[in-house]
Amino acid sequence: MAYDYTPYPFVPPKGLSETEPRHPVVIVGAGPIGLSMAIDLAQRGIASVVLDDNNVVSVGSRAICWAKRTLEIFDRLGVGERMLAKGVTWKVGRNFHGEDEVFSFDLLPEDGHKYPAFINLQQYYVEEYLIQTALEFPELIDLRFKNRVTAHEDRDDHVLLTIETPDGSYTLEADWYIACDGAGSATRERMGLTFEGQTFEEQFLIADIEMKDSPFGEASVPERWFWFDPPFHAGKSALLHMQPDNIYRIDLQLDVDADGKAEAQEDKVIPRIKAIVGDKPFRLDWVSVYKFRCIKLDRFVHNRVVFVGDSAHVVSPFGARGGNGGVQDVDNLGWKLAAVISGQADTALIETYHEERSHGSAENILNSSRATNFMTPKTPAEALFRSEALRLAHDQPFARKLLNSGRLSLPCSLEGFALQTDGAAQVAPGHAMLDAPLTGPDGDTWLIEKAQGAFTLVGFGDVHLPDLAGLPRIGINQRADYPCYTATHGHAIRRYGSDIAYMFRPDGHVCAVFRNPTAEDVQAAIDTAMGRALETEA
Amino acid sequence: MTKIYPDRLSPQQDDFYNALMDAHAGLSDTQSHALNARLVLLMANQIGNLEILKDLMETGRSYCDE
């Protein structure tokens, strides 16, 4: 069954008939990133207006691979469990060369995690779930479809937007303008910001097919299958993923000079699919031919305009670092923006969003460009090394690891950045939280459910946590006058060590560790993480 | 005879591969070929053990197309 794209209604906004009071936050773009941003802020009591020029969810499956860390963030936003239930769980990637399997990797070989390494779920479902969750905050999220921003003006302490609707145009003032308007960001274009980087000439064909029979061998286990020089598509590469509703994603590398329009026609696509799936009956669901670039903005923050997601950085799809990177942007920005708007932190904290996420995005770009370079050799020397690496990979373990069909999305470490307090621990300050199962008085739970969303001090083993006003504390494998849990099967202690306290930021990154935490030390770490030690603008 | 060698490049395998491609960037085929020869000689000197080098040559050779 093809997805039913029910349009969301256009409601004439107030601004058409009267001047609206200045809004704290306007989010431009109601894709996965803009919607996540609005929900994150709403959970912190911050109101936003979300503007989108369209009125349906993503047309086509587009982003389908959602990584573990992203799912943990989505858990906090209230859509993780729904995504997990609907999505196709996978963790193994297999690389083939010709007919032979040459290398496989397991992205999560251990248990004791609420979320798997990856799920595949079409972007339209993710957007649908996020919209439904956003609608649960009618007082805080003002979702406006068919509202297209045509101009915006930096007015120093706020931004003035001009918006076009089917009923005419109006203006809005916002303290903060969050640009979540995607790879082709009109906000970025209007501001004339340089967005240049490596452009890849190769074209790729994406075809989603609905098919009852699994193409994943006899065991029919959904995995990520990648071919270098497959028998059904000589000299090129191919990628296969399963999505819910018996939809399979097939990604085929095309010739550099292929005619993209012609390649997207059924008469060209169907024979290519048949070469892969044979006689199995299928229905073509969606086709797209694309090229890509690997680029990021020099600066993600321009006074009151903040770029989040694809508007700030784009990558090749190999490694699933686009959508996943964008959700991590939201995770990083949400608590900082809320702290600034509510007067708990200086605007300098927003600058750290740029520093930390620009670093994350550079790491994503490095990985995705290297994968793409490996997949598409540009010179005879590159082609020669690749073909010999593939040849050796049939039996040499080191050569298998050289095969790069995409290094899959992992959260970046923020180690060494200004908000973290230096310290040594199994999970060093800057690293994203590792999940672990816990048993408590109310039954089984997970660390990610207990220690995300707000600064949280967690004590593992024999370590006493001081009491600071407004700071949640959790004990693991200890008894105290704050909530305590047992590390189920010892996973939490094995991952974090014993007799040590960790301070988690609201986005789940470790910002400090303590062997003997005192109230003063803990307060100092919070002050550092809130940017109070940063040099503020004079 | 083909010998199987343990992996000693990871986790820096991508950094290495990228650096190798960068070393070849902008060279003609002939220049690339010559660079490869120089690299083999330099690496042989670094390995500095004839037995190991002979094994490596034999293993490399064993992959040649018939």
Side-chain angles (χ1 to χ4, degrees):
Chain A
M1 271 271 290
Y3 182 82
D4 173 25
Y5 291 96
T6 309
Y8 291 91
F10 164 71
V11 180
K14 228 184 212 173
L16 283 171
S17 48
E18 57 185 278
T19 304
E20 296 184 33
R22 187 180 297 176
H23 296 277
V25 179
V26 167
I27 295 166
V28 180
I33 305 308
L35 292 164
S36 297
M37 192 77 240
I39 295 167
D40 191 314
L41 292 171
Q43 286 183 337
R44 302 174 193 286
I46 304 293
S48 65
V49 177
V50 184
L51 305 170
D52 198 277
D53 55 0
N54 205 340
N55 63 347
V56 289
V57 293
S58 162
V59 176
S61 60
R62 296 167 69 190
I64 59 165
C65 297
W66 304 96
K68 179 173 186 290
R69 181 63 203 144
T70 306
L71 295 169
E72 292 168 355
I73 296 165
F74 277 138
D75 186 82
R76 178 170 71 72
L77 299 178
V79 294
E81 291 181 4
R82 215 174 153 192
M83 288 178 63
L84 179 63
K86 177 75 188 175
V88 170
T89 292
W90 65 274
K91 63 172 191 165
V92 171
R94 278 183 211 285
N95 289 341
F96 299 86
H97 179 217
E99 301 270 4
D100 302 329
E101 181 181 333
V102 283
F103 179 50
S104 69
F105 49 88
D106 184 339
L107 294 163
L108 191 61
E110 59 179 24
D111 57 6
H113 295 270
K114 178 169 181 180
Y115 287 94
F118 269 93
I119 68 159
N120 288 347
L121 183 64
Q122 296 90 327
Q123 186 171 331
Y124 42 75
Y125 281 120
V126 177
E127 291 185 13
E128 179 191 317
Y129 300 168
L130 287 167
I131 288 173
Q132 285 170 9
T133 303
L135 293 174
E136 289 166 16
F137 296 91
E139 305 296 317
L140 290 169
I141 300 178
D142 182 347
L143 198 45
R144 303 183 185 181
F145 295 101
K146 290 267 178 205
N147 275 244
R148 187 166 68 91
V149 179
T150 56
H152 76 277
E153 190 185 315
D154 181 346
R155 294 203 161 176
D156 196 25
D157 69 341
H158 71 280
V159 180
L160 177 73
L161 296 84
T162 307
I163 299 153
E164 208 173 80
T165 77
D167 287 4
S169 60
Y170 68 105
T171 59
L172 271 191
E173 287 182 355
D175 291 333
W176 294 93
Y177 178 120
I178 312 300
C180 306
D181 47 355
S185 171
T187 309
R188 199 182 61 221
E189 300 273 310
R190 276 196 299 273
M191 292 169 71
L193 300 175
T194 312
F195 200 56
E196 288 168 356
Q198 190 174 8
T199 301
F200 292 87
E201 293 303 317
E202 276 75 14
Q203 301 187 80
F204 288 81
L205 169 77
I206 280 188
D208 277 358
I209 58 167
E210 185 181 344
M211 187 169 68
K212 220 172 141 242
D213 301 324
S214 168
F216 287 105
E218 284 177 15
S220 301
V221 178
E223 295 175 336
R224 176 190 195 262
W225 282 14
F226 188 94
W227 287 264
F228 294 101
D229 195 11
F232 53 80
H233 192 53
K236 297 284 188 296
S237 66
L239 177 62
L240 176 68
H241 271 292
M242 185 184 180
Q243 305 168 50
D245 306 336
N246 288 326
I247 301 220
Y248 293 88
R249 159 78 62 91
I250 292 165
D251 209 313
L252 295 172
Q253 180 190 359
L254 300 174
D255 283 320
V256 172
D257 53 5
D259 176 350
K261 267 216 173 95
E263 289 292 344
Q265 300 304 311
E266 283 201 15
D267 62 322
K268 289 285 270 184
V269 177
I270 302 256
R272 291 195 186 282
I273 308 288
K274 282 193 170 158
I276 304 169
V277 305
D279 296 333
K280 298 186 177 93
F282 65 88
R283 177 186 68 81
L284 207 52
D285 186 71
W286 178 62
V287 175
S288 171
V289 172
Y290 67 96
K291 278 188 186 184
F292 47 74
R293 304 175 293 171
C294 288
I295 313 174
K296 70 182 201 51
L297 276 175
D298 286 336
R299 297 199 37 78
F300 291 6
V301 179
H302 291 260
N303 190 30
R304 295 302 182 113
V305 178
V306 184
F307 290 87
V308 182
D310 281 359
S311 68
H313 45 74
V314 291
V315 293
S316 88
F318 303 100
R321 289 169 180 269
N324 289 300
V327 175
Q328 285 163 46
D329 289 350
V330 170
D331 197 34
N332 190 292
L333 180 60
W335 65 275
K336 293 176 179 175
L337 194 56
V340 170
I341 289 170
S342 61
Q344 295 170 294
D346 187 86
T347 50
L349 188 60
I350 303 300
E351 182 62 20
T352 70
Y353 158 75
H354 159 72
E355 290 163 6
E356 294 184 340
R357 288 311 302 165
S358 183
H359 160 73
S361 147
E363 192 174 294
N364 286 334
I365 286 174
L366 181 72
N367 277 290
S368 92
S369 353
R370 284 180 177 180
T372 314
N373 283 330
F374 190 86
M375 288 163 47
T376 59
K378 305 291 181 298
T379 63
E382 286 185 12
L384 181 65
F385 274 107
R386 196 188 84 153
S387 95
E388 293 311 311
L390 279 162
R391 191 195 302 259
L392 291 172
H394 287 256
D395 40 30
Q396 299 285 349
F398 84 94
R400 283 173 206 153
K401 296 210 172 163
L402 290 174
L403 306 188
N404 191 345
S405 70
R407 304 293 184 215
L408 287 137
S409 174
L410 288 172
C412 73
S413 168
L414 305 174
E415 207 169 347
F417 283 92
L419 302 188
Q420 280 63 250
T421 302
D422 287 341
Q426 268 177 247
V427 185
H431 282 259
M433 161 180 300
L434 302 176
D435 196 11
L438 303 174
T439 311
D442 303 320
D444 293 340
T445 183
W446 299 93
L447 185 61
I448 57 153
E449 291 182 4
K450 295 294 162 195
Q452 282 201 105
F455 280 100
T456 308
L457 187 60
V458 184
F460 297 82
D462 187 13
V463 59
H464 187 262
L465 308 179
D467 187 6
L468 277 81
L471 177 68
R473 292 174 294 171
I474 289 169
I476 295 170
N477 284 13
Q478 57 173 256
R479 273 185 205 187
D481 56 354
Y482 41 80
C484 287
Y485 300 85
T486 305
T488 314
H489 302 308
H491 284 301
I493 301 295
R494 204 158 36 246
R495 282 168 198 161
Y496 287 91
S498 205
D499 311 337
I500 186 167
Y502 284 75
M503 173 77 87
F504 292 102
R505 310 191 331 183
D507 56 14
H509 281 259
V510 176
C511 66
V513 292
F514 313 89
R515 285 287 165 189
N516 293 296
T518 64
E520 291 72 33
D521 291 345
V522 171
Q523 186 60 52
I526 294 178
D527 287 346
T528 299
M530 288 288 274
R532 287 171 193 142
L534 298 171
E535 279 181 48
T536 52
E537 292 160 71
Chain B
M1 201 194 118
T2 305
K3 225 180 143 177
I4 303 298
Y5 290 90
D7 169 33
R8 294 172 66 182
L9 282 174
S10 99
Q12 291 180 299
Q13 74 277 20
D14 291 354
D15 293 329
F16 157 71
Y17 197 85
N18 194 57
L20 182 62
M21 295 305 112
D22 281 351
H24 281 271
L27 299 184
S28 69
D29 290 358
T30 316
Q31 287 172 320
S32 266
H33 195 53
L35 172 62
N36 281 334
R38 285 195 297 278
L39 287 174
V40 168
L41 296 173
L42 285 164
M43 289 177 184
N45 179 59
Q46 276 302 104
I47 292 166
N49 179 319
L50 187 61
E51 282 308 304
I52 295 176
L53 289 166
K54 280 183 167 173
D55 278 355
L56 285 166
M57 285 185 260
E58 207 177 310
T59 295
R61 175 89 192 196
S62 74
Y63 288 91
C64 285
D65 292 320
E66 293 297 317

